[in-house]
Amino acid sequence: MKGNLHQELRQIVTQLKGHLRYQKELGIKTLLSQQEAKNHLTLNEIRREMGDCERCRLHEGRNHLVFGEGNPHALLVFVGEAPGRNEDLQGKPFIGRAGELLTRIIEAIDLTREEVYITNILKCRPPNNRNPKPDEIKICLPFLLKQLEAIRPRVICALGTFAAQTLLGTENKISALRGRFHDYQGAKLMPTYHPAFLLRNPHFKKAVWDDMKMIREEYKKP
Ligand code: URA
């Protein structure tokens, strides 16, 4: 009897190990309780909830709502400010000149765009790429927060002032925030300069590279 129980337990442990290994291979990094799993929307569900969004004025001039793209189980998520002209035309984040630079930055830390997830604080382009307005951020932010909850990344890289200040709930300057990790609901958040700013101010590349090396070290931890 005792022997049988022991054997059964061993079988359960072996099966559980196999199941966890399988989940890990799928990119699933944390186990959710039943209640959490119930409250947990997938990225597709969040996109459906946004629908043909008319919650703020930005829908008036848009061609596409730019939700975000990449690996739904990414260890690393990049959050920018808002779609620009090219992004609005094609419905994808960071595909203009700033996007090309972001792609090179991602590759420099041994990743591809497909392995990370890329999104923005605002999902629609502000006219003439003006700064996001507080009411637009307030309306759009809940969807980003749900995206981050769905992905549960280990590291978040906030690109530029708006992303960093919005996610950290501070008005501190990006120059004071960057260079170190901040706690963001169990994830590590690294603010850094926005790629569009880097294109105009290439001498800040060294600072961004320093931030990226810290990000690489963090996501590579076993
Ligand atoms: N700048 C951003 O902040 N996001 C984009 O998607 C493109 C440019």
Side-chain angles (χ1 to χ4, degrees):
M1 185 67 186
K2 224 176 166 189
N4 277 351
L5 193 61
H6 200 178
Q7 205 179 348
E8 224 175 282
L9 265 178
R10 281 174 69 125
Q11 269 175 4
I12 292 172
V13 170
T14 310
Q15 280 172 5
L16 189 60
K17 274 188 181 164
H19 178 71
L20 290 175
R21 210 172 19 249
Y22 172 67
Q23 299 240 329
K24 196 173 171 195
E25 275 159 20
L26 291 179
I28 296 166
K29 301 175 297 271
T30 47
L31 292 174
L32 301 180
S33 70
Q34 269 187 349
Q35 191 54 43
E36 278 179 313
K38 252 193 233 157
N39 297 337
H40 200 79
L41 295 182
T42 65
L43 289 174
N44 285 340
E45 285 166 341
I46 300 161
R47 179 64 192 91
R48 267 201 298 281
E49 191 184 326
M50 282 203 94
D52 201 8
C53 185
E54 295 190 358
R55 293 170 179 85
C56 86
R57 64 182 80 76
L58 295 182
H59 77 276
E60 289 162 12
R62 81 167 172 235
N63 288 295
H64 286 99
L65 184 155
V66 183
F67 183 69
E69 68 175 9
N71 178 359
H73 303 295
L75 281 177
L76 171 59
V77 172
F78 288 90
V79 180
E81 181 176 316
R85 187 169 174 274
N86 293 299
E87 291 79 15
D88 171 63
L89 287 174
Q90 294 192 43
K92 292 166 184 272
F94 280 99
I95 51 166
R97 276 187 68 222
E100 284 167 16
L101 178 54
L102 178 62
T103 305
R104 290 202 295 278
I105 290 172
I106 292 168
E107 288 170 356
I109 54 168
D110 310 330
L111 287 167
T112 63
R113 278 181 72 111
E114 292 70 35
E115 285 173 302
V116 302
Y117 193 85
I118 306 174
T119 187
N120 285 299
I121 297 281
L122 295 187
K123 307 304 191 222
C124 297
R125 182 192 182 205
N128 301 316
N129 299 344
R130 65 150 166 76
N131 286 342
K133 291 184 191 277
D135 64 322
E136 294 159 358
I137 294 179
K138 193 167 169 217
I139 291 169
C140 215
L141 185 62
F143 295 102
L144 171 64
L145 301 187
K146 286 182 196 180
Q147 285 175 297
L148 294 174
E149 236 176 75
I151 301 169
R152 292 183 166 226
R154 185 184 294 179
V155 184
I156 298 167
C157 179
L159 298 166
T161 301
F162 278 92
Q165 291 185 342
T166 303
L167 287 171
L168 293 174
T170 174
E171 292 189 353
N172 290 350
K173 287 186 167 173
I174 183 79
S175 54
L177 295 170
R178 63 149 292 274
R180 65 197 155 92
F181 284 115
H182 302 251
D183 180 52
Y184 177 84
Q185 310 207 350
K188 297 206 165 191
L189 188 147
M190 174 66 79
T192 197
Y193 295 113
H194 192 288
F197 173 82
L198 272 193
L199 287 172
R200 297 190 302 271
N201 303 277
H203 57 285
F204 282 91
K205 276 188 184 166
K206 160 88 174 62
V208 172
W209 181 231
D210 288 343
D211 298 342
M212 291 301 147
K213 281 188 288 190
M214 289 175 69
I215 289 178
R216 178 170 63 185
E217 198 179 309
E218 194 56 40
Y219 80 72
K220 282 200 173 177
K221 280 186 186 162

